[in-house]
PDB file of all heavy atoms in Angstrom:
ATOM      1  N   ASP A 325     147.453-213.512 110.376  1.00 98.00           N
ATOM      2  CA  ASP A 325     148.016-212.915 109.155  1.00 98.00           C
ATOM      3  C   ASP A 325     146.991-213.073 108.025  1.00 98.00           C
ATOM      4  O   ASP A 325     145.924-213.664 108.218  1.00 98.00           O
ATOM      5  CB  ASP A 325     149.389-213.523 108.803  1.00 98.00           C
ATOM      6  CG  ASP A 325     149.298-214.974 108.362  1.00 98.00           C
ATOM      7  OD1 ASP A 325     148.183-215.526 108.322  1.00 98.00           O
ATOM      8  OD2 ASP A 325     150.351-215.565 108.061  1.00 98.00           O
ATOM      9  N   VAL A 326     147.326-212.513 106.878  1.00 98.00           N
ATOM     10  CA  VAL A 326     146.357-212.468 105.772  1.00 98.00           C
ATOM     11  C   VAL A 326     145.858-213.853 105.376  1.00 98.00           C
ATOM     12  O   VAL A 326     144.684-214.020 105.028  1.00 98.00           O
ATOM     13  CB  VAL A 326     146.964-211.701 104.566  1.00 98.00           C
ATOM     14  CG1 VAL A 326     148.207-212.377 104.023  1.00 98.00           C
ATOM     15  CG2 VAL A 326     145.947-211.502 103.462  1.00 98.00           C
ATOM     16  N   TYR A 327     146.737-214.872 105.486  1.00 98.00           N
ATOM     17  CA  TYR A 327     146.336-216.219 105.064  1.00 98.00           C
ATOM     18  C   TYR A 327     145.324-216.845 106.033  1.00 98.00           C
ATOM     19  O   TYR A 327     144.600-217.768 105.678  1.00 98.00           O
ATOM     20  CB  TYR A 327     147.562-217.130 104.915  1.00 98.00           C
ATOM     21  CG  TYR A 327     148.569-216.556 103.954  1.00 98.00           C
ATOM     22  CD1 TYR A 327     149.777-216.040 104.404  1.00 98.00           C
ATOM     23  CD2 TYR A 327     148.285-216.486 102.586  1.00 98.00           C
ATOM     24  CE1 TYR A 327     150.685-215.481 103.526  1.00 98.00           C
ATOM     25  CE2 TYR A 327     149.180-215.926 101.705  1.00 98.00           C
ATOM     26  CZ  TYR A 327     150.388-215.426 102.180  1.00 98.00           C
ATOM     27  OH  TYR A 327     151.277-214.859 101.303  1.00 98.00           O
ATOM     28  N   ASP A 328     145.315-216.349 107.285  1.00 98.00           N
ATOM     29  CA  ASP A 328     144.285-216.759 108.235  1.00 98.00           C
ATOM     30  C   ASP A 328     143.063-215.854 108.105  1.00 98.00           C
ATOM     31  O   ASP A 328     141.927-216.307 108.027  1.00 98.00           O
ATOM     32  CB  ASP A 328     144.830-216.675 109.675  1.00 98.00           C
ATOM     33  CG  ASP A 328     143.741-216.981 110.694  1.00 98.00           C
ATOM     34  OD1 ASP A 328     143.567-218.164 111.020  1.00 98.00           O
ATOM     35  OD2 ASP A 328     143.032-216.037 111.124  1.00 98.00           O
ATOM     36  N   ASN A 329     143.316-214.550 108.078  1.00 98.00           N
ATOM     37  CA  ASN A 329     142.209-213.593 108.140  1.00 98.00           C
ATOM     38  C   ASN A 329     141.308-213.630 106.912  1.00 98.00           C
ATOM     39  O   ASN A 329     140.131-213.234 106.986  1.00 98.00           O
ATOM     40  CB  ASN A 329     142.763-212.184 108.375  1.00 98.00           C
ATOM     41  CG  ASN A 329     141.687-211.237 108.848  1.00 98.00           C
ATOM     42  OD1 ASN A 329     141.279-210.335 108.135  1.00 98.00           O
ATOM     43  ND2 ASN A 329     141.184-211.458 110.051  1.00 98.00           N
ATOM     44  N   ILE A 330     141.829-214.126 105.810  1.00 98.00           N
ATOM     45  CA  ILE A 330     141.021-214.199 104.592  1.00 98.00           C
ATOM     46  C   ILE A 330     139.770-215.069 104.842  1.00 98.00           C
ATOM     47  O   ILE A 330     138.695-214.816 104.293  1.00 98.00           O
ATOM     48  CB  ILE A 330     141.862-214.713 103.386  1.00 98.00           C
ATOM     49  CG1 ILE A 330     141.200-214.358 102.061  1.00 98.00           C
ATOM     50  CG2 ILE A 330     142.171-216.195 103.500  1.00 98.00           C
ATOM     51  CD1 ILE A 330     141.338-212.953 101.619  1.00 98.00           C
ATOM     52  N   TYR A 331     139.888-216.079 105.740  1.00 98.00           N
ATOM     53  CA  TYR A 331     138.736-216.936 106.060  1.00 98.00           C
ATOM     54  C   TYR A 331     137.674-216.175 106.861  1.00 98.00           C
ATOM     55  O   TYR A 331     136.493-216.505 106.792  1.00 98.00           O
ATOM     56  CB  TYR A 331     139.180-218.173 106.858  1.00 98.00           C
ATOM     57  CG  TYR A 331     139.941-219.160 106.010  1.00 98.00           C
ATOM     58  CD1 TYR A 331     141.330-219.131 105.946  1.00 98.00           C
ATOM     59  CD2 TYR A 331     139.273-220.126 105.268  1.00 98.00           C
ATOM     60  CE1 TYR A 331     142.036-220.019 105.155  1.00 98.00           C
ATOM     61  CE2 TYR A 331     139.967-221.030 104.483  1.00 98.00           C
ATOM     62  CZ  TYR A 331     141.346-220.969 104.429  1.00 98.00           C
ATOM     63  OH  TYR A 331     142.029-221.860 103.645  1.00 98.00           O
ATOM     64  N   SER A 332     138.097-215.178 107.645  1.00 98.00           N
ATOM     65  CA  SER A 332     137.136-214.375 108.423  1.00 98.00           C
ATOM     66  C   SER A 332     136.495-213.315 107.544  1.00 98.00           C
ATOM     67  O   SER A 332     135.277-213.123 107.565  1.00 98.00           O
ATOM     68  CB  SER A 332     137.850-213.687 109.607  1.00 98.00           C
ATOM     69  OG  SER A 332     138.394-214.653 110.474  1.00 98.00           O
ATOM     70  N   VAL A 333     137.324-212.633 106.752  1.00 98.00           N
ATOM     71  CA  VAL A 333     136.787-211.548 105.929  1.00 98.00           C
ATOM     72  C   VAL A 333     135.914-212.115 104.803  1.00 98.00           C
ATOM     73  O   VAL A 333     134.946-211.469 104.366  1.00 98.00           O
ATOM     74  CB  VAL A 333     137.934-210.610 105.451  1.00 98.00           C
ATOM     75  CG1 VAL A 333     138.631-211.127 104.217  1.00 98.00           C
ATOM     76  CG2 VAL A 333     137.408-209.202 105.207  1.00 98.00           C
ATOM     77  N   ALA A 334     136.202-213.350 104.386  1.00 98.00           N
ATOM     78  CA  ALA A 334     135.344-213.988 103.366  1.00 98.00           C
ATOM     79  C   ALA A 334     133.953-214.260 103.946  1.00 98.00           C
ATOM     80  O   ALA A 334     132.968-214.277 103.202  1.00 98.00           O
ATOM     81  CB  ALA A 334     135.978-215.290 102.872  1.00 98.00           C
ATOM     82  N   MET A 335     133.855-214.457 105.274  1.00 98.00           N
ATOM     83  CA  MET A 335     132.527-214.615 105.909  1.00 98.00           C
ATOM     84  C   MET A 335     131.745-213.309 105.789  1.00 98.00           C
ATOM     85  O   MET A 335     130.535-213.316 105.554  1.00 98.00           O
ATOM     86  CB  MET A 335     132.675-215.005 107.385  1.00 98.00           C
ATOM     87  CG  MET A 335     133.204-216.414 107.603  1.00 98.00           C
ATOM     88  SD  MET A 335     133.675-216.741 109.321  1.00 98.00           S
ATOM     89  CE  MET A 335     132.080-217.000 110.102  1.00 98.00           C
ATOM     90  N   VAL A 336     132.443-212.179 105.929  1.00 98.00           N
ATOM     91  CA  VAL A 336     131.795-210.866 105.813  1.00 98.00           C
ATOM     92  C   VAL A 336     131.247-210.660 104.406  1.00 98.00           C
ATOM     93  O   VAL A 336     130.062-210.367 104.214  1.00 98.00           O
ATOM     94  CB  VAL A 336     132.791-209.727 106.144  1.00 98.00           C
ATOM     95  CG1 VAL A 336     132.206-208.367 105.773  1.00 98.00           C
ATOM     96  CG2 VAL A 336     133.183-209.771 107.615  1.00 98.00           C
ATOM     97  N   PHE A 337     132.108-210.852 103.420  1.00 98.00           N
ATOM     98  CA  PHE A 337     131.669-210.547 102.051  1.00 98.00           C
ATOM     99  C   PHE A 337     130.753-211.648 101.495  1.00 98.00           C
ATOM    100  O   PHE A 337     129.938-211.377 100.607  1.00 98.00           O
ATOM    101  CB  PHE A 337     132.863-210.210 101.158  1.00 98.00           C
ATOM    102  CG  PHE A 337     133.500-208.913 101.602  1.00 98.00           C
ATOM    103  CD1 PHE A 337     134.764-208.889 102.176  1.00 98.00           C
ATOM    104  CD2 PHE A 337     132.799-207.721 101.516  1.00 98.00           C
ATOM    105  CE1 PHE A 337     135.324-207.701 102.632  1.00 98.00           C
ATOM    106  CE2 PHE A 337     133.339-206.526 101.974  1.00 98.00           C
ATOM    107  CZ  PHE A 337     134.606-206.517 102.527  1.00 98.00           C
TER     108      PHE A 337
END
Side-chain angles (χ1 to χ4, degrees):
D325 68 0
V326 62
Y327 304 108
D328 175 88
N329 197 250
I330 199 77
Y331 288 94
S332 299
V333 83
M335 290 169 77
V336 169
F337 293 112

